[in-house]
Amino acid sequence: MHMQNEFMLRKFVSPEFVFGENCRFLIGEYAKKLGGRIVLIVTDEGLVKAGWVEEVKAYLANKGIKFVIFSGVTPNPRVEEIGKGAVVYKNESCNMLVAVGGGSVIDCAKGIGVTIANAKPVMDFVGVDKIRYPIPPLICLPSTPGTGADLSQVAVLSNTQEHSKVGIVSKAVVPDLSLIDPVIVTTIPQYHLYCSLMDILTHAIEAFVSKGSSAITDLHALDAIKRITNIFDLGLISSQDKSVVNDISIAGIEAGLAFSNASLGLVHSLSHSFEGLTDISHGESISIFLEASINFNYDTVPHKYKAIGKCMGLSLDRMDPNEIKEAIIEKIGLFKKTLGFNKKICDYGINRDCIPFLVQNAMKDNCIITNPHRPNRRDIEAIYEKLF
Ligand SMILES: [Fe+2]
């Protein structure tokens, strides 16, 4: 029987969000509605250069809202950067956060909010439901589709001193509003879009097989898998192409809603640990661990993988379970080939001595809790060893 979730209670949390071309124009109005007087705009240099921050400033100024820019966010949001941002927020008497950027920028803004509201370093709130006071109003304008940071109750932070990535899970970090404007995505580098595709696909797969999945998260997860497959099958993956970017953005929203509520699994645990050590970009890292994790989980929930395979357009009717598994893994291999993602762990300049460290951090990662098949230390070690 595969009915273990049928009668369990499930909640579904989502921020208010607006999706569509040019919805960024609404930022001033919404910031005013939420009581913004002095906004801390959290962003990075790339977004400033692309001109989006200039635009946001104009929309805020138009509604009489003051602002301060904090653009010191690097590709993985570090605890020190959050501390610096919080100092700026406090010194400038800000009362609202606007994040303009990718997952790192949004997570940094969430971290700043947590620090300010609770008057303690952000690391004190790592874990599930540890936040006491709600963060100031947070509006997100995501530039990278599918990180889920703009929709989720999660913030992932880099603890540079310990070379680890840690997560804060709390409804307190759900943004008040996300303006998801595909036009912003058209200026990101092609490589970022490639990373997004793999991240979105993985969010959808992990949310669907998660122990925390529900009928509502499944609906979003499966449709995201269909959309991502369709994009790969059409072979038109350009960040300049509006309709492709639009579709990736929708898939990203669906997968984000699914994983924010169903959580993730082994791929993200293995990946977070690896990212802490190497500073590799998340989407590329995820790609290393996806097939091995499917192989590990498959026998626990074969019916779920069959549904995933169908959404990936595979004809599975005459296949036995093992053939279905192989077909899914093969298809993912094709996706990765299209993107040129074919590296192994050793390609990132680390050696096998790091395996115990990687295993230790992966075992501690929150995402592992909802993985359909609970791995032990040896299982994790075997996966890392195999992928070296
Ligand atoms: Fe992810």
Side-chain angles (χ1 to χ4, degrees):
M1 291 289 279
H2 306 301
M3 310 285 278
Q4 74 268 28
N5 293 335
E6 199 85 333
F7 300 105
M8 288 177 75
L9 301 178
R10 298 289 191 215
K11 288 203 282 189
F12 192 90
V13 176
S14 162
E16 179 179 359
F17 64 89
V18 182
F19 171 74
E21 206 173 317
N22 299 328
C23 69
R24 67 186 183 286
F25 296 171
L26 303 171
I27 179 83
E29 227 162 277
Y30 272 104
K32 199 171 178 189
K33 234 190 260 178
L34 287 166
R37 282 180 285 104
I38 307 174
V39 166
L40 183 71
I41 302 176
V42 182
T43 188
D44 63 31
E45 286 306 325
L47 271 297
V48 174
K49 272 190 200 128
W52 298 120
V53 175
E54 236 7 80
E55 256 200 48
V56 167
K57 279 158 63 178
Y59 299 139
L60 292 173
N62 201 23
K63 295 286 173 190
I65 299 168
K66 292 180 182 151
F67 48 78
V68 185
I69 312 279
F70 177 67
S71 60
V73 189
T74 50
N76 283 304
R78 291 151 211 268
V79 173
E80 308 88 86
E81 291 165 4
I82 291 168
K84 279 183 196 160
V87 169
V88 178
Y89 186 100
K90 211 172 163 195
N91 289 347
E92 302 287 338
S93 310
C94 298
N95 76 333
M96 178 180 281
L97 291 155
V98 168
V100 186
S104 307
V105 164
I106 295 170
D107 285 344
C108 183
K110 288 180 176 180
I112 293 170
V114 171
T115 310
I116 286 294
N118 295 274
K120 274 183 181 173
V122 73
M123 285 300 287
D124 288 8
F125 304 96
V126 168
V128 180
D129 284 338
K130 298 264 172 73
I131 299 173
R132 182 139 188 209
Y133 299 105
I135 67 171
L138 167 64
I139 301 179
C140 300
L141 276 82
S143 62
T144 311
T147 68
D150 49 329
L151 301 165
S152 77
Q153 41 191 336
V154 182
V156 181
L157 320 168
S158 279
N159 182 353
T160 24
Q161 273 168 0
E162 290 184 12
H163 298 288
S164 63
K165 271 202 164 183
V166 290
I168 291 175
V169 184
S170 166
K171 256 195 281 185
V173 297
V174 175
D176 292 85
L177 173 79
S178 283
L179 297 171
I180 304 170
D181 187 340
V183 178
I184 299 180
V185 178
T186 58
T187 57
I188 65 169
Q190 189 74 7
Y191 170 75
H192 288 189
L193 198 70
Y194 286 1
C195 288
S196 289
L197 281 166
M198 291 311 293
D199 198 24
I200 294 167
L201 180 66
T202 308
H203 291 161
I205 292 174
E206 292 216 283
F208 185 68
V209 302
S210 161
K211 280 185 186 167
S213 67
S214 71
I216 309 302
T217 56
D218 289 354
L219 197 67
H220 292 92
L222 291 178
D223 199 63
I225 295 169
K226 276 186 208 160
R227 280 182 198 273
I228 295 294
T229 303
N230 195 34
I231 289 159
F232 275 111
D233 287 347
L234 290 170
L236 304 164
I237 310 165
S238 165
S239 59
Q240 316 282 309
D241 186 319
K242 266 193 188 176
S243 82
V244 168
V245 166
N246 206 56
D247 226 36
I248 295 174
S249 300
I250 295 171
I253 292 170
E254 291 175 322
L257 292 172
F259 94 76
S260 175
N261 290 284
S263 193
L264 294 160
L266 182 59
V267 188
H268 274 77
S269 297
L270 296 167
S271 187
H272 287 151
S273 172
F274 185 55
E275 288 162 46
L277 198 60
T278 57
D279 227 19
I280 177 182
S281 82
H282 178 66
E284 194 176 322
S285 172
I286 283 294
S287 305
I288 299 174
F289 303 105
L290 182 53
E291 293 112 305
S293 300
I294 292 173
N295 192 47
F296 179 77
N297 286 333
Y298 188 84
D299 292 335
T300 311
V301 281
H303 60 293
K304 288 204 167 181
Y305 284 105
K306 192 171 183 184
I308 288 170
K310 280 186 186 159
C311 288
M312 294 175 90
L314 299 166
S315 336
L316 306 173
D317 288 344
R318 293 194 186 158
M319 292 187 186
D320 66 31
N322 201 46
E323 288 168 332
I324 293 174
K325 179 176 81 178
E326 292 307 325
I328 293 169
I329 289 175
E330 194 187 337
K331 184 106 184 175
I332 289 169
L334 281 176
F335 291 169
K336 283 168 60 174
K337 207 173 164 194
T338 307
L339 306 178
F341 286 0
N342 54 8
K343 288 191 187 151
K344 294 185 147 214
I345 294 178
C346 62
D347 295 325
Y348 296 93
I350 60 171
N351 59 41
R352 284 171 190 269
D353 298 346
C354 298
I355 290 179
F357 182 80
L358 288 170
V359 173
Q360 189 191 329
N361 282 342
M363 291 289 288
K364 279 195 283 190
D365 190 82
N366 285 332
C367 298
I368 217 158
I369 299 164
T370 41
N371 194 60
H373 177 33
R374 188 76 191 246
N376 61 32
R377 189 163 285 277
R378 179 65 203 128
D379 295 325
I380 303 240
E381 193 177 52
I383 295 174
Y384 279 128
E385 271 169 3
K386 204 175 142 204
L387 294 171
F388 246 91

